[in-house]
Amino acid sequence: MTLLLPLIRQQSLQCSKISKMETTILLSNSENSIKSASEMIKNGEVVGIPTETVYGLGADALNPQAVKKIFAAKGRPADNPLIVHIYDIEQIKLLAHDIPELFYTLAESFWPGPLTMIVPKNDTVPDETSGGLDTVGIRMPAHPVMRELIRLSCPIAAPSANRSGYPSPTAAKHVLNDMNGRISAVIDGGESRFGVESTVIAFDDEKTVRILRPGSVTKEMLSEYAENVIIDEAILNDLAEGRNAPSPGMKYRHYSPKADVVIVEGDFHAFAAYAGSIKCDGLYCLVFDEDDTKLLNSEFMTYGSDSMEQAHSLFARLRELDEKNAKKVLVRAPKKDGVGLAVYNRLLRAAGFEVIRV
């Protein structure tokens, strides 16, 4: 077992209560470290795991007591379902039934990768994992560390490895900031490639998929294989009252830094003029790389030139703004198509749906 930080020391694998943990182990992505983490998961513990989307908080998906530890560590509402991550397509039979043929077509096209598909669950999947629903979201991740961890252990339930409501983590240090003393270990697998969580879809019928959470697998990409692709209204609006959330990221405020976030739609000159009219301490602007920042009178950060760069950088920038004690953040609105829809969706929830058009 390789430790990357000498001040973070190993704890007993028998720890089961957050209050008994003093520190969380930071592991490298070596073969021995992954084996150690797999033993923790098989023993019912929770481990921070790198994926190609964001870092996940992983536990045995079929162990209800282990899954409860995920919710405890995150402070996550129990009716918010978790995604189950698998190693190969054969594990589907263990988890789900009545699977449409389109599921397998999309799996062949996008797995391993950032696509989660919701299907009817088997009794092997506990209610703790599915949030009390009779369906389960399943994904086959592409990150080699996550894949090896599943291969050595079991199907892994893994929401994003942040405290509930905060920006998702895209580096091991982010997980430690949120989870030190609350989980057994974190594997350092480098920065996440995509930076936003997976696309989540459900099947309305044999020919129609419904996007419940946008991600790096876009509507345009899915349309190459499905006759109909519907963007659920909850992606750009608050979840309708009384509706159960079939996907993570739909029901509660998410991804929020401590600062008050406001999305500002409009061209950059109008954005800069609006920002100049705001008089408050701790004001920051989050803008595009190519914007003429000399027009801004406040502190600023940039988060990319295109949608892929913005997705990769968004959560890291929101965390950096917390480090700078930002009080109010005005964010240049990204596009609402392609991967930009995923970025806009995350910002909407970070902003509590506060949008200004200038």
Side-chain angles (χ1 to χ4, degrees):
M1 186 176 296
T2 303
L3 302 189
L4 299 187
L5 290 181
L7 294 180
I8 298 178
R9 56 190 183 277
Q10 182 176 0
Q11 300 297 300
S12 167
L13 300 189
Q14 302 307 311
C15 292
S16 60
K17 295 182 179 180
I18 292 172
S19 59
K20 290 185 179 180
M21 294 184 188
E22 295 180 6
T23 55
T24 293
I25 311 164
L26 180 61
L27 300 171
S28 73
N29 59 6
S30 69
E31 181 179 351
N32 286 340
S33 292
I34 296 171
K35 287 180 179 178
S36 296
S38 72
E39 290 300 317
M40 294 177 192
I41 287 175
K42 287 189 287 187
N43 287 337
E45 296 306 315
V46 180
V47 176
I49 307 167
T51 82
E52 72 274 23
T53 56
V54 299
Y55 272 69
L57 207 58
D60 182 349
L62 307 185
N63 180 340
Q65 298 308 313
V67 171
K68 286 179 180 178
K69 294 179 185 178
I70 292 177
F71 286 94
K74 283 181 67 72
R76 181 186 179 105
D79 63 346
N80 204 356
L82 305 181
I83 292 168
V84 178
H85 298 73
I86 62 173
Y87 176 75
D88 61 37
I89 201 72
E90 290 300 311
Q91 291 181 311
I92 295 294
K93 300 173 184 176
L94 173 68
L95 303 172
H97 63 90
D98 293 335
I99 300 170
E101 190 61 34
L102 183 55
F103 175 102
Y104 291 104
T105 299
L106 296 175
E108 183 177 352
S109 302
F110 296 106
W111 280 0
L115 177 66
T116 295
M117 295 185 275
I118 295 176
V119 287
K121 73 169 187 173
N122 287 339
D123 290 341
T124 52
V125 179
D127 286 344
E128 287 82 357
T129 299
S130 66
L133 302 174
D134 58 5
T135 56
V136 61
I138 303 173
R139 180 166 95 86
M140 185 188 294
H143 196 289
V145 171
M146 180 62 152
R147 288 185 57 74
E148 181 65 2
L149 194 57
I150 301 168
R151 187 185 73 82
L152 292 173
S153 57
C154 55
I156 292 176
S160 55
N162 54 293
R163 298 289 294 275
S164 188
Y166 285 80
S168 298
T170 55
K173 65 180 181 179
H174 299 157
V175 184
L176 281 175
N177 286 343
D178 287 8
M179 293 290 163
N180 193 21
R182 304 179 70 85
I183 61 175
S184 295
V186 179
I187 302 175
D188 190 343
E191 284 191 5
S192 300
R193 175 186 172 192
F194 292 111
V196 293
E197 299 83 356
S198 63
T199 301
V200 179
I201 63 169
F203 298 89
D204 284 11
D205 55 45
E206 290 286 340
K207 298 180 179 180
T208 304
V209 298
R210 178 179 298 272
I211 300 177
L212 300 174
R213 183 179 72 185
S216 298
V217 176
T218 65
K219 176 183 179 180
E220 295 77 11
M221 295 163 69
L222 292 166
S223 294
E224 295 183 19
Y225 303 93
E227 286 190 19
N228 306 303
V229 180
I230 298 169
I231 294 178
D232 195 273
E233 62 181 10
I235 285 176
L236 295 177
N237 301 279
D238 209 352
L239 191 70
E241 186 175 352
R243 180 185 177 189
N244 290 329
S247 165
M250 293 183 73
K251 189 170 185 180
Y252 299 98
R253 182 166 178 165
H254 286 280
Y255 320 119
S256 299
K258 296 173 184 176
D260 177 26
V261 176
V262 179
I263 301 172
V264 181
E265 295 185 344
D267 65 38
F268 180 69
H269 283 82
F271 176 96
Y274 176 75
S277 72
I278 302 297
K279 306 301 179 185
C280 71
D281 294 332
L283 176 66
Y284 277 79
C285 294
L286 191 58
V287 298
F288 305 155
D289 286 1
E290 66 273 19
D291 287 338
D292 186 3
T293 53
K294 294 191 296 295
L295 298 179
L296 297 173
N297 294 323
S298 63
E299 299 286 346
F300 67 87
M301 288 184 182
T302 65
Y303 74 121
S305 295
D306 57 36
S307 296
M308 288 298 292
E309 291 179 1
Q310 289 160 3
H312 177 78
S313 300
L314 176 63
F315 290 141
R317 292 293 182 269
L318 292 179
R319 285 176 173 269
E320 289 170 23
L321 287 163
D322 271 351
E323 293 171 3
K324 293 181 177 295
N325 295 316
K327 304 302 181 187
K328 189 179 188 72
V329 180
L330 305 179
V331 185
R332 276 264 274 152
K335 296 179 179 178
K336 296 180 187 176
D337 58 2
V339 178
L341 180 63
V343 181
Y344 194 91
N345 167 263
R346 302 320 190 265
L347 280 170
L348 269 179
R349 279 152 176 78
F353 294 89
E354 187 173 358
V355 181
I356 301 293
R357 292 173 177 84
V358 296

